[in-house]
């Protein structure tokens, strides 16, 4: 589990049913893919990142169509 301000904000927004349509995250972690997966699980999993449900397993396998990590210095509309 991630313990940073961004995670706490998104967790609170989910609990209050006030999630935004987008969040920008800056990762200082050595493994940004796992960092971002934790956020995706928090948002998309009905239990807030249980790591056992179908959604969490698909996120771990990088096959959930609702989750796409983009590692670029700039992001275009087509991305």
């Amino acid at each position: 589990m991630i313990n940073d301000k961004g995670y706490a904000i998104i967790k609170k927004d989910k609990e209050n049913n006030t999630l935004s349509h987008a969040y920008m995250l800056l990762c200082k972690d050595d493994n940004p893919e796992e960092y971002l997966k934790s956020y995706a699980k928090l948002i998309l999993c009905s239990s807030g990142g249980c790591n056992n449900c179908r959604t969490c397993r698909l996120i771990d396998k990088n096959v959930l169509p609702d989750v796409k990590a983009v590692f670029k210095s700039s992001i275009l509309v087509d991305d």
Side-chain angles (χ1 to χ4, degrees):
M1 174 147 166
I2 296 174
N3 189 16
D4 66 14
K5 188 174 181 178
Y7 194 89
I9 289 170
I10 294 173
K11 184 175 181 178
K12 182 178 177 186
D13 287 353
K14 183 173 181 172
E15 289 169 355
N16 294 330
N17 204 23
T18 58
L19 282 171
S20 177
H21 71 285
Y23 291 92
M24 181 175 280
L25 304 171
L26 300 175
C27 175
K28 296 179 185 178
D29 199 319
D30 291 338
N31 192 350
E33 188 174 350
E34 291 303 315
Y35 183 82
L36 295 173
K37 283 181 183 181
S38 295
Y39 277 95
K41 290 176 188 178
L42 170 65
I43 293 168
L44 298 173
C45 172
S46 59
S47 299
C50 70
N51 291 315
N52 295 317
C53 70
R54 182 175 187 270
T55 298
C56 287
R57 290 192 312 269
L58 292 175
I59 290 170
D60 282 335
K61 293 178 183 178
N62 297 319
V63 295
L64 188 70
D66 294 335
V67 177
K68 180 179 179 182
V70 179
F71 298 99
K72 295 182 179 181
S73 59
S74 64
I75 301 173
L76 304 175
V77 173
D78 291 339
D79 294 329

